[in-house]
Amino acid sequence: MSTAANSMPHEFHPLITGETMTGFDVEKVRRDFPILEQQVYGHRLVYLDNAATSQKPLAVIDVISRYYERGNANIHRGVHYLSEHATEEHEAARRTVRSFLNAADKREIIFVRSATEGINLVAQTYGRTHVGAGDEVLLTAMEHHSNIVPWQMLCEEKGAHLRVVPINDRGELLMEELPKLLSERTKLLAVTHISNALGTINPLRKIIEIAHQHNVPVVVDGAQAVSHIKVDVQELDADFYVFSGHKVYAPTGIGVLYGKRALLEEMPPYQGGGDMIRSVTFEKTLYNDLPYKFEAGTPNIGGAIGLGAAIDYINHLGMENIAAHEHDLLGYATESLSAIPGVRIIGTAAQKAAVISFIIEGIHPHDIGTILDREGIAVRTGHHCAQPVMQRFRIPATARASFALYNTRAEVDALVKGIEKVMEVFA
Ligand SMILES: Cc1ncc(COP(=O)(O)O)c(C=O)c1O
């Protein structure tokens, strides 16, 4: 190999490899995220909008910029040096995702744009071939719009019906209702792993087991899960599992659809175009093997490489360490916010991720968000793309503080002070 060759391909490979960190030094971790150093309206940024999107560590930013500085080329079709190495990096990212989800085979990992696209892909391929007039698609009352609307569109097209598993006042699924809603008409169950609006962690293993007893395959929306808990698609026995890179410290525009190989093999392609074909004539096109059959056109190569780097970063910190740290934050924040008279937490499930939706009596969530913003605190306000959840709790909106691996107890204290300020303004 030439010197140039030696210096290129592995330089845009993840910077962090090796042993899992023992313990968790959040101040050290924060230094990996340059965006957190800035001031907003004269205050140190307190970023608590992680359920919307997470910030990116230098390990990811550097890998992406190095890819564009030194490695950019289109993949799969090139025989030249850069193309071959970009292809290798892209496929290395697929192997990293496979291991992250513990999928049995890298052909089960389809790169898509986002969780939204992954769900639409399943609806438009598996859904369109398996759901017919009078059939049912089962959802839950805590789904994000992206796990409702694609199914609704499918049902409208096919003359099928949506059914919904209800939730209780804590925001937990009424598990006893699930078997009652499954019948021979049910063709699919689509369920979120963790609710973005409530923080509820669903008992997914049990849900999938019950669905499978009725021969119903399960599509899991893992958009809020993969950054908080270890996901093992084989252990869960999930048929499909989707997530977005940007919520797991990777860039926007890249996401993953996992599907069991047997299901993916028999599904028709989603989009037609380059790369998803084996051969094309005007008479007939033969489709490519998995996973390429579902990856038409030039993919988000830099995004996939960035996702691989983000997963390496998480692995380096250790998912158990991240989960323990976030669990501590959730406990501390729940206790702190519950102690403020007039604050009501929406979503008090026994199993929760570090997401706190809340309302304050007599104050609109948008006003809460605006005043907190002036204190440098970023939270999200609104219906969080989960309007049925708002309807269930008979509220128009909530303010939502959602935590990530870099948040601290001091930031929870800042949130509490900010909320007290909101209450003073509206007193
Ligand atoms: C539970 C859940 N599902 C799906 C999505 C959609 O993610 P994306 O917009 O990245 O496709 C989100 C985003 O907020 C989410 O929280």
Side-chain angles (χ1 to χ4, degrees):
M1 260 197 208
S2 70
T3 314
N6 278 337
S7 67
M8 204 95 64
H10 299 295
E11 283 199 1
F12 53 87
H13 210 64
L15 298 174
I16 292 176
T17 52
E19 296 298 300
T20 296
M21 258 172 67
T22 48
F24 192 84
D25 180 348
V26 68
E27 289 307 328
K28 187 161 174 279
V29 166
R30 286 177 71 80
R31 293 198 285 276
D32 295 336
F33 293 82
I35 203 167
L36 300 177
E37 284 162 19
Q38 70 190 294
Q39 304 262 316
V40 171
Y41 300 117
H43 301 275
R44 184 78 179 263
L45 170 65
V46 174
Y47 186 78
L48 301 178
D49 194 18
N50 296 286
T53 199
S54 60
Q55 299 302 348
K56 320 304 171 200
L58 275 171
V60 170
I61 297 167
D62 287 351
V63 161
I64 294 168
S65 66
R66 226 170 301 176
Y67 166 70
Y68 284 111
E69 280 168 18
R70 321 248 339 236
N72 176 58
N74 208 336
I75 57 170
H76 294 150
R77 298 177 269 269
V79 291
H80 63 80
Y81 176 81
L82 283 180
S83 176
E84 279 181 0
H85 283 291
T87 303
E88 172 47 32
E89 292 296 314
H90 188 255
E91 294 308 309
R94 196 188 308 276
R95 292 192 292 274
T96 302
V97 174
R98 186 215 62 75
S99 151
F100 184 57
L101 296 180
N102 193 33
D105 193 310
K106 71 180 169 59
R107 287 169 287 191
E108 298 177 317
I109 304 299
I110 316 288
F111 283 126
V112 288
R113 183 168 58 85
S114 57
T116 299
E117 189 175 51
I119 294 167
N120 277 276
L121 191 161
V122 179
Q124 292 301 313
T125 58
Y126 185 90
R128 285 181 96 192
T129 44
H130 287 83
V131 176
D135 286 339
E136 295 178 357
V137 175
L138 187 56
L139 309 178
T140 84
M142 68 173 86
E143 299 309 315
H144 186 279
H145 296 165
S146 61
N147 204 23
I148 300 173
V149 184
W151 305 115
Q152 210 160 36
M153 288 162 65
L154 174 71
C155 287
E156 274 170 19
E157 179 188 322
K158 296 288 184 179
H161 307 284
L162 286 186
R163 292 282 177 268
V164 181
V165 185
I167 57 177
N168 65 20
D169 290 341
R170 291 188 301 277
E172 295 163 323
L173 280 184
L174 294 180
M175 287 294 285
E176 65 277 17
E177 297 299 317
L178 177 59
K180 297 184 210 160
L181 285 158
L182 288 160
S183 74
E184 69 285 352
R185 287 190 303 277
T186 317
K187 293 296 178 257
L188 212 72
L189 166 62
V191 58
T192 193
H193 199 165
I194 294 182
S195 157
N196 66 311
L198 301 165
T200 310
I201 303 177
N202 280 320
L204 200 52
R205 182 71 204 86
K206 188 78 203 151
I207 291 169
I208 292 173
E209 192 181 309
I210 294 169
H212 284 176
Q213 282 162 6
H214 293 78
N215 295 318
V216 173
V218 182
V219 183
V220 183
D221 173 358
Q224 294 294 338
V226 289
S227 60
H228 299 299
I229 55 178
K230 174 80 195 121
V231 172
D232 182 331
V233 290
Q234 291 191 80
E235 206 255 325
L236 289 169
D237 203 16
D239 299 286
F240 300 101
Y241 195 101
V242 303
F243 72 91
S244 292
H246 70 95
K247 293 184 200 283
V248 67
Y249 312 106
T252 49
I254 185 74
V256 169
L257 163 66
Y258 158 82
K260 281 183 182 164
R261 194 172 152 206
L263 294 172
L264 294 173
E265 291 283 9
E266 59 100 9
M267 279 156 56
Y270 176 45
Q271 295 177 328
D275 250 21
M276 54 76 74
I277 55 93
R278 181 176 288 283
S279 70
V280 178
T281 65
F282 284 114
E283 287 69 42
K284 186 163 178 59
T285 292
L286 292 179
Y287 302 129
N288 208 341
D289 296 332
L290 293 176
Y292 313 112
K293 181 172 92 174
F294 293 105
E295 295 181 351
T298 301
N300 183 349
I301 304 161
I305 293 170
L307 175 59
I311 293 172
D312 284 341
Y313 180 78
I314 285 174
N315 288 340
H316 166 72
L317 295 181
M319 190 52 102
E320 327 72 55
N321 295 326
I322 294 168
H325 173 69
E326 291 182 353
H327 188 72
D328 173 71
L329 285 177
L330 175 67
Y332 185 62
T334 305
E335 206 175 290
S336 306
L337 266 68
S338 305
I340 310 173
V343 170
R344 182 178 148 215
I345 295 177
I346 306 295
T348 50
Q351 297 298 320
K352 260 192 86 171
V355 171
I356 299 192
S357 260
F358 63 95
I359 54 175
I360 305 177
E361 223 172 286
I363 308 175
H364 195 279
H366 288 302
D367 293 328
I368 301 173
T370 305
I371 294 171
L372 289 178
D373 176 50
R374 292 288 154 161
E375 300 298 307
I377 303 166
V379 296
R380 184 141 299 237
T381 61
H383 52 60
H384 316 295
C385 295
Q387 284 185 325
V389 172
M390 301 299 124
Q391 287 150 14
R392 166 65 180 74
F393 285 89
R394 295 196 172 79
I395 48 177
T398 71
R400 181 187 70 187
S402 52
F403 300 89
L405 56 85
Y406 39 67
N407 290 124
T408 64
R409 280 182 167 227
E411 290 182 313
V412 174
D413 294 339
L415 173 65
V416 169
K417 269 183 128 177
I419 291 173
E420 284 164 356
K421 177 132 194 203
V422 172
M423 295 173 99
E424 268 167 44
V425 171
F426 281 89

Short mmCIF file of all heavy atoms in Angstrom, two decimals, residues 362-415:
data_model
loop_
_atom_site.label_atom_id
_atom_site.label_comp_id
_atom_site.label_asym_id
_atom_site.label_seq_id
_atom_site.Cartn_x
_atom_site.Cartn_y
_atom_site.Cartn_z
N GLY A 362 -52.70 26.30 35.41
CA GLY A 362 -52.96 27.70 35.03
C GLY A 362 -51.93 28.33 34.11
O GLY A 362 -52.03 29.51 33.76
N ILE A 363 -50.90 27.59 33.70
CA ILE A 363 -49.87 28.18 32.83
C ILE A 363 -49.74 27.30 31.58
O ILE A 363 -49.55 26.09 31.68
CB ILE A 363 -48.50 28.28 33.54
CG1 ILE A 363 -48.64 28.99 34.88
CG2 ILE A 363 -47.47 28.99 32.64
CD1 ILE A 363 -47.37 29.04 35.71
N HIS A 364 -49.84 27.93 30.42
CA HIS A 364 -49.74 27.14 29.18
C HIS A 364 -48.31 26.64 28.99
O HIS A 364 -47.35 27.39 29.22
CB HIS A 364 -50.17 27.97 27.96
CG HIS A 364 -50.44 27.10 26.77
ND1 HIS A 364 -49.43 26.62 25.97
CD2 HIS A 364 -51.61 26.58 26.29
CE1 HIS A 364 -49.96 25.84 25.03
NE2 HIS A 364 -51.28 25.81 25.20
N PRO A 365 -48.15 25.38 28.57
CA PRO A 365 -46.80 24.84 28.36
C PRO A 365 -45.91 25.71 27.47
O PRO A 365 -44.69 25.78 27.69
CB PRO A 365 -47.06 23.48 27.72
CG PRO A 365 -48.39 23.08 28.24
CD PRO A 365 -49.19 24.35 28.36
N HIS A 366 -46.49 26.38 26.48
CA HIS A 366 -45.66 27.23 25.61
C HIS A 366 -45.05 28.39 26.41
O HIS A 366 -43.90 28.77 26.16
CB HIS A 366 -46.47 27.77 24.43
CG HIS A 366 -46.77 26.70 23.42
ND1 HIS A 366 -45.78 25.98 22.79
CD2 HIS A 366 -47.94 26.21 22.95
CE1 HIS A 366 -46.34 25.09 21.97
NE2 HIS A 366 -47.65 25.20 22.07
N ASP A 367 -45.80 28.90 27.37
CA ASP A 367 -45.25 29.97 28.22
C ASP A 367 -44.14 29.41 29.11
O ASP A 367 -43.13 30.06 29.35
CB ASP A 367 -46.36 30.58 29.07
CG ASP A 367 -47.37 31.35 28.21
OD1 ASP A 367 -46.95 31.91 27.18
OD2 ASP A 367 -48.57 31.35 28.55
N ILE A 368 -44.33 28.18 29.57
CA ILE A 368 -43.28 27.54 30.40
C ILE A 368 -42.00 27.44 29.56
O ILE A 368 -40.91 27.84 29.99
CB ILE A 368 -43.72 26.11 30.85
CG1 ILE A 368 -45.00 26.16 31.66
CG2 ILE A 368 -42.59 25.43 31.62
CD1 ILE A 368 -45.59 24.77 32.00
N GLY A 369 -42.17 26.94 28.34
CA GLY A 369 -41.01 26.73 27.47
C GLY A 369 -40.30 28.03 27.14
O GLY A 369 -39.06 28.09 27.11
N THR A 370 -41.08 29.08 26.91
CA THR A 370 -40.49 30.37 26.52
C THR A 370 -39.71 30.98 27.67
O THR A 370 -38.59 31.49 27.48
CB THR A 370 -41.62 31.32 26.06
OG1 THR A 370 -42.36 30.65 25.03
CG2 THR A 370 -41.07 32.61 25.50
N ILE A 371 -40.26 30.91 28.85
CA ILE A 371 -39.55 31.50 30.00
C ILE A 371 -38.31 30.67 30.34
O ILE A 371 -37.23 31.22 30.61
CB ILE A 371 -40.50 31.66 31.21
CG1 ILE A 371 -41.57 32.70 30.85
CG2 ILE A 371 -39.73 32.08 32.46
CD1 ILE A 371 -42.69 32.83 31.83
N LEU A 372 -38.44 29.35 30.28
CA LEU A 372 -37.26 28.50 30.55
C LEU A 372 -36.16 28.78 29.52
O LEU A 372 -34.97 28.83 29.85
CB LEU A 372 -37.64 27.02 30.50
CG LEU A 372 -38.49 26.49 31.66
CD1 LEU A 372 -38.84 25.01 31.44
CD2 LEU A 372 -37.77 26.66 33.00
N ASP A 373 -36.56 29.02 28.29
CA ASP A 373 -35.59 29.30 27.23
C ASP A 373 -34.74 30.52 27.59
O ASP A 373 -33.52 30.52 27.38
CB ASP A 373 -36.33 29.51 25.91
CG ASP A 373 -35.40 29.91 24.78
OD1 ASP A 373 -34.37 29.23 24.60
OD2 ASP A 373 -35.68 30.91 24.09
N ARG A 374 -35.38 31.54 28.13
CA ARG A 374 -34.65 32.77 28.51
C ARG A 374 -33.67 32.51 29.66
O ARG A 374 -32.78 33.29 29.92
CB ARG A 374 -35.62 33.88 28.91
CG ARG A 374 -36.44 34.38 27.73
CD ARG A 374 -35.57 35.17 26.79
NE ARG A 374 -36.09 35.15 25.43
CZ ARG A 374 -35.77 36.03 24.48
NH1 ARG A 374 -34.89 36.98 24.74
NH2 ARG A 374 -36.27 35.93 23.28
N GLU A 375 -33.87 31.39 30.34
CA GLU A 375 -32.92 30.99 31.39
C GLU A 375 -31.86 30.03 30.83
O GLU A 375 -31.09 29.45 31.59
CB GLU A 375 -33.68 30.29 32.53
CG GLU A 375 -34.75 31.14 33.20
CD GLU A 375 -34.17 32.38 33.86
OE1 GLU A 375 -33.24 32.25 34.66
OE2 GLU A 375 -34.64 33.51 33.55
N GLY A 376 -31.89 29.85 29.52
CA GLY A 376 -30.91 28.97 28.88
C GLY A 376 -31.30 27.50 28.90
O GLY A 376 -30.48 26.63 28.57
N ILE A 377 -32.56 27.24 29.27
CA ILE A 377 -32.99 25.83 29.43
C ILE A 377 -33.88 25.43 28.25
O ILE A 377 -34.92 26.04 28.02
CB ILE A 377 -33.78 25.65 30.75
CG1 ILE A 377 -32.92 26.09 31.94
CG2 ILE A 377 -34.25 24.20 30.91
CD1 ILE A 377 -33.68 26.28 33.24
N ALA A 378 -33.44 24.43 27.50
CA ALA A 378 -34.19 23.97 26.33
C ALA A 378 -35.05 22.78 26.70
O ALA A 378 -34.54 21.71 27.05
CB ALA A 378 -33.22 23.57 25.21
N VAL A 379 -36.38 22.99 26.71
CA VAL A 379 -37.31 21.86 26.85
C VAL A 379 -38.24 21.92 25.65
O VAL A 379 -38.24 22.90 24.91
CB VAL A 379 -38.16 21.93 28.16
CG1 VAL A 379 -37.28 21.82 29.38
CG2 VAL A 379 -39.04 23.18 28.19
N ARG A 380 -39.01 20.89 25.46
CA ARG A 380 -39.99 20.90 24.36
C ARG A 380 -41.38 21.08 24.93
O ARG A 380 -41.68 20.56 26.01
CB ARG A 380 -39.93 19.59 23.57
CG ARG A 380 -40.86 19.60 22.36
CD ARG A 380 -40.22 18.92 21.20
NE ARG A 380 -39.01 19.60 20.81
CZ ARG A 380 -38.76 20.09 19.59
NH1 ARG A 380 -39.68 20.01 18.66
NH2 ARG A 380 -37.61 20.64 19.32
N THR A 381 -42.20 21.84 24.22
CA THR A 381 -43.59 22.00 24.66
C THR A 381 -44.50 21.70 23.48
O THR A 381 -44.13 21.91 22.33
CB THR A 381 -43.86 23.44 25.14
OG1 THR A 381 -43.64 24.33 24.06
CG2 THR A 381 -42.96 23.83 26.30
N GLY A 382 -45.67 21.19 23.78
CA GLY A 382 -46.63 20.88 22.72
C GLY A 382 -47.21 19.49 22.92
O GLY A 382 -47.21 18.96 24.04
N HIS A 383 -47.64 18.90 21.80
CA HIS A 383 -48.25 17.57 21.93
C HIS A 383 -47.24 16.46 21.63
O HIS A 383 -47.56 15.28 21.71
CB HIS A 383 -49.49 17.44 21.03
CG HIS A 383 -49.25 17.82 19.60
ND1 HIS A 383 -48.33 17.18 18.80
CD2 HIS A 383 -49.81 18.78 18.82
CE1 HIS A 383 -48.35 17.71 17.59
NE2 HIS A 383 -49.23 18.71 17.58
N HIS A 384 -46.01 16.85 21.28
CA HIS A 384 -44.91 15.89 21.07
C HIS A 384 -45.25 14.84 20.01
O HIS A 384 -44.83 13.67 20.12
CB HIS A 384 -44.52 15.20 22.39
CG HIS A 384 -44.42 16.16 23.53
ND1 HIS A 384 -43.48 17.15 23.58
CD2 HIS A 384 -45.19 16.33 24.64
CE1 HIS A 384 -43.66 17.88 24.67
NE2 HIS A 384 -44.69 17.39 25.33
N CYS A 385 -46.01 15.26 18.99
CA CYS A 385 -46.42 14.32 17.92
C CYS A 385 -47.12 13.10 18.51
O CYS A 385 -46.95 11.98 18.01
CB CYS A 385 -45.24 13.89 17.06
SG CYS A 385 -44.52 15.23 16.14
N ALA A 386 -47.84 13.33 19.59
CA ALA A 386 -48.60 12.23 20.21
C ALA A 386 -49.94 12.80 20.67
O ALA A 386 -50.28 12.75 21.86
CB ALA A 386 -47.81 11.63 21.37
N GLN A 387 -50.69 13.33 19.73
CA GLN A 387 -51.96 13.98 20.10
C GLN A 387 -52.92 13.03 20.82
O GLN A 387 -53.58 13.45 21.76
CB GLN A 387 -52.60 14.61 18.87
CG GLN A 387 -51.90 15.91 18.49
CD GLN A 387 -52.57 16.66 17.34
OE1 GLN A 387 -53.12 16.04 16.43
NE2 GLN A 387 -52.52 17.96 17.39
N PRO A 388 -52.99 11.74 20.42
CA PRO A 388 -53.88 10.85 21.17
C PRO A 388 -53.50 10.72 22.66
O PRO A 388 -54.37 10.50 23.50
CB PRO A 388 -53.74 9.51 20.44
CG PRO A 388 -53.42 9.91 19.03
CD PRO A 388 -52.51 11.10 19.17
N VAL A 389 -52.23 10.87 22.97
CA VAL A 389 -51.83 10.83 24.39
C VAL A 389 -52.40 12.05 25.11
O VAL A 389 -52.93 11.95 26.23
CB VAL A 389 -50.29 10.79 24.54
CG1 VAL A 389 -49.88 10.95 26.01
CG2 VAL A 389 -49.72 9.49 23.98
N MET A 390 -52.32 13.20 24.45
CA MET A 390 -52.85 14.43 25.06
C MET A 390 -54.36 14.28 25.26
O MET A 390 -54.90 14.65 26.30
CB MET A 390 -52.55 15.65 24.17
CG MET A 390 -51.07 15.88 23.91
SD MET A 390 -50.08 16.19 25.39
CE MET A 390 -48.82 14.91 25.24
N GLN A 391 -55.02 13.70 24.24
CA GLN A 391 -56.48 13.52 24.35
C GLN A 391 -56.80 12.57 25.52
O GLN A 391 -57.74 12.81 26.28
CB GLN A 391 -57.04 12.96 23.03
CG GLN A 391 -57.07 14.00 21.92
CD GLN A 391 -56.90 13.40 20.52
OE1 GLN A 391 -57.02 12.19 20.33
NE2 GLN A 391 -56.59 14.25 19.55
N ARG A 392 -56.00 11.53 25.68
CA ARG A 392 -56.23 10.56 26.75
C ARG A 392 -56.15 11.24 28.12
O ARG A 392 -56.90 10.93 29.04
CB ARG A 392 -55.18 9.44 26.65
CG ARG A 392 -55.06 8.52 27.87
CD ARG A 392 -56.34 7.71 28.10
NE ARG A 392 -56.25 6.82 29.25
CZ ARG A 392 -56.30 7.20 30.53
NH1 ARG A 392 -56.43 8.47 30.87
NH2 ARG A 392 -56.24 6.30 31.49
N PHE A 393 -55.21 12.19 28.26
CA PHE A 393 -55.04 12.87 29.55
C PHE A 393 -55.83 14.18 29.63
O PHE A 393 -55.70 14.92 30.59
CB PHE A 393 -53.54 13.11 29.83
CG PHE A 393 -52.83 11.85 30.24
CD1 PHE A 393 -52.25 11.01 29.28
CD2 PHE A 393 -52.78 11.46 31.56
CE1 PHE A 393 -51.62 9.83 29.64
CE2 PHE A 393 -52.15 10.28 31.95
CZ PHE A 393 -51.57 9.46 30.98
N ARG A 394 -56.60 14.45 28.56
CA ARG A 394 -57.45 15.65 28.48
C ARG A 394 -56.66 16.94 28.74
O ARG A 394 -57.04 17.79 29.53
CB ARG A 394 -58.61 15.56 29.49
CG ARG A 394 -59.56 14.45 29.18
CD ARG A 394 -60.88 14.62 29.93
NE ARG A 394 -61.87 13.67 29.50
CZ ARG A 394 -61.90 12.41 29.91
NH1 ARG A 394 -61.01 11.95 30.77
NH2 ARG A 394 -62.83 11.59 29.46
N ILE A 395 -55.53 17.03 28.06
CA ILE A 395 -54.71 18.23 28.15
C ILE A 395 -54.30 18.61 26.71
O ILE A 395 -54.21 17.73 25.86
CB ILE A 395 -53.43 18.01 29.02
CG1 ILE A 395 -52.71 16.70 28.60
CG2 ILE A 395 -53.78 17.99 30.50
CD1 ILE A 395 -51.42 16.43 29.33
N PRO A 396 -54.06 19.89 26.46
CA PRO A 396 -53.68 20.25 25.09
C PRO A 396 -52.21 19.99 24.80
O PRO A 396 -51.81 19.76 23.65
CB PRO A 396 -53.95 21.76 25.04
CG PRO A 396 -53.86 22.22 26.46
CD PRO A 396 -54.25 21.05 27.32
N ALA A 397 -51.41 20.02 25.85
CA ALA A 397 -49.95 19.96 25.63
C ALA A 397 -49.26 19.73 26.97
O ALA A 397 -49.89 19.83 28.02
CB ALA A 397 -49.48 21.29 25.03
N THR A 398 -47.98 19.41 26.91
CA THR A 398 -47.17 19.38 28.13
C THR A 398 -45.84 20.09 27.85
O THR A 398 -45.51 20.36 26.70
CB THR A 398 -46.82 17.94 28.60
OG1 THR A 398 -45.86 17.37 27.70
CG2 THR A 398 -48.03 17.04 28.69
N ALA A 399 -45.11 20.38 28.92
CA ALA A 399 -43.70 20.73 28.78
C ALA A 399 -42.95 19.43 29.05
O ALA A 399 -43.36 18.64 29.91
CB ALA A 399 -43.31 21.80 29.79
N ARG A 400 -41.87 19.20 28.31
CA ARG A 400 -41.18 17.91 28.46
C ARG A 400 -39.69 18.14 28.63
O ARG A 400 -39.05 18.74 27.77
CB ARG A 400 -41.45 17.05 27.25
CG ARG A 400 -40.79 15.66 27.32
CD ARG A 400 -40.94 14.90 26.02
NE ARG A 400 -40.13 15.50 24.95
CZ ARG A 400 -40.18 15.12 23.67
NH1 ARG A 400 -40.99 14.15 23.31
NH2 ARG A 400 -39.42 15.70 22.77
N ALA A 401 -39.17 17.65 29.74
CA ALA A 401 -37.72 17.64 29.93
C ALA A 401 -37.26 16.20 29.68
O ALA A 401 -37.75 15.27 30.32
CB ALA A 401 -37.37 18.06 31.35
N SER A 402 -36.36 16.04 28.74
CA SER A 402 -35.89 14.68 28.43
C SER A 402 -34.37 14.67 28.55
O SER A 402 -33.70 15.57 28.05
CB SER A 402 -36.36 14.26 27.04
OG SER A 402 -36.02 15.22 26.08
N PHE A 403 -33.87 13.65 29.21
CA PHE A 403 -32.47 13.64 29.62
C PHE A 403 -31.62 12.70 28.76
O PHE A 403 -32.12 11.73 28.19
CB PHE A 403 -32.37 13.23 31.09
CG PHE A 403 -33.11 14.18 32.00
CD1 PHE A 403 -34.45 13.96 32.30
CD2 PHE A 403 -32.48 15.29 32.52
CE1 PHE A 403 -35.16 14.85 33.10
CE2 PHE A 403 -33.17 16.19 33.33
CZ PHE A 403 -34.51 15.95 33.62
N ALA A 404 -30.35 13.02 28.70
CA ALA A 404 -29.40 12.19 27.96
C ALA A 404 -28.20 11.91 28.85
O ALA A 404 -28.11 12.41 29.98
CB ALA A 404 -28.96 12.91 26.69
N LEU A 405 -27.25 11.18 28.30
CA LEU A 405 -26.11 10.73 29.11
C LEU A 405 -25.26 11.88 29.64
O LEU A 405 -24.54 11.73 30.62
CB LEU A 405 -25.25 9.74 28.30
CG LEU A 405 -24.70 10.18 26.94
CD1 LEU A 405 -23.39 10.93 27.08
CD2 LEU A 405 -24.48 8.95 26.06
N TYR A 406 -25.34 13.07 29.00
CA TYR A 406 -24.49 14.19 29.44
C TYR A 406 -25.19 15.13 30.42
O TYR A 406 -24.61 16.14 30.81
CB TYR A 406 -23.99 14.99 28.23
CG TYR A 406 -25.01 15.17 27.12
CD1 TYR A 406 -26.16 15.94 27.31
CD2 TYR A 406 -24.83 14.53 25.89
CE1 TYR A 406 -27.09 16.09 26.30
CE2 TYR A 406 -25.76 14.68 24.87
CZ TYR A 406 -26.89 15.47 25.08
OH TYR A 406 -27.82 15.61 24.09
N ASN A 407 -26.44 14.87 30.78
CA ASN A 407 -27.12 15.77 31.71
C ASN A 407 -26.69 15.49 33.14
O ASN A 407 -26.17 14.42 33.45
CB ASN A 407 -28.65 15.65 31.56
CG ASN A 407 -29.12 16.24 30.24
OD1 ASN A 407 -29.78 15.56 29.44
ND2 ASN A 407 -28.79 17.49 29.99
N THR A 408 -26.93 16.50 34.01
CA THR A 408 -26.43 16.41 35.38
C THR A 408 -27.54 16.75 36.38
O THR A 408 -28.54 17.38 36.01
CB THR A 408 -25.28 17.41 35.61
OG1 THR A 408 -25.81 18.74 35.44
CG2 THR A 408 -24.13 17.19 34.63
N ARG A 409 -27.29 16.41 37.63
CA ARG A 409 -28.21 16.80 38.69
C ARG A 409 -28.28 18.33 38.80
O ARG A 409 -29.33 18.89 39.10
CB ARG A 409 -27.77 16.20 40.02
CG ARG A 409 -28.18 14.75 40.16
CD ARG A 409 -27.78 14.22 41.54
NE ARG A 409 -28.42 12.95 41.82
CZ ARG A 409 -29.02 12.63 42.95
NH1 ARG A 409 -29.06 13.50 43.96
NH2 ARG A 409 -29.57 11.45 43.13
N ALA A 410 -27.14 19.01 38.54
CA ALA A 410 -27.13 20.48 38.60
C ALA A 410 -28.09 21.05 37.55
O ALA A 410 -28.73 22.09 37.77
CB ALA A 410 -25.71 21.00 38.36
N GLU A 411 -28.21 20.37 36.42
CA GLU A 411 -29.15 20.84 35.39
C GLU A 411 -30.60 20.61 35.83
O GLU A 411 -31.48 21.40 35.46
CB GLU A 411 -28.84 20.14 34.05
CG GLU A 411 -27.53 20.62 33.46
CD GLU A 411 -27.21 19.98 32.12
OE1 GLU A 411 -27.34 18.75 31.99
OE2 GLU A 411 -26.83 20.72 31.19
N VAL A 412 -30.83 19.56 36.58
CA VAL A 412 -32.17 19.36 37.15
C VAL A 412 -32.47 20.51 38.11
O VAL A 412 -33.57 21.09 38.09
CB VAL A 412 -32.28 18.00 37.87
CG1 VAL A 412 -33.62 17.87 38.57
CG2 VAL A 412 -32.06 16.84 36.90
N ASP A 413 -31.48 20.88 38.91
CA ASP A 413 -31.66 22.01 39.83
C ASP A 413 -31.98 23.29 39.06
O ASP A 413 -32.83 24.08 39.47
CB ASP A 413 -30.40 22.22 40.68
CG ASP A 413 -30.14 21.06 41.63
OD1 ASP A 413 -31.10 20.31 41.92
OD2 ASP A 413 -28.97 20.89 42.07
N ALA A 414 -31.28 23.48 37.93
CA ALA A 414 -31.53 24.68 37.10
C ALA A 414 -32.96 24.65 36.57
O ALA A 414 -33.63 25.69 36.53
CB ALA A 414 -30.52 24.73 35.95
N LEU A 415 -33.43 23.46 36.19
CA LEU A 415 -34.80 23.33 35.69
C LEU A 415 -35.80 23.71 36.80
O LEU A 415 -36.76 24.45 36.55
CB LEU A 415 -35.05 21.89 35.21
CG LEU A 415 -36.48 21.55 34.80
CD1 LEU A 415 -36.92 22.34 33.56
CD2 LEU A 415 -36.63 20.05 34.52
#
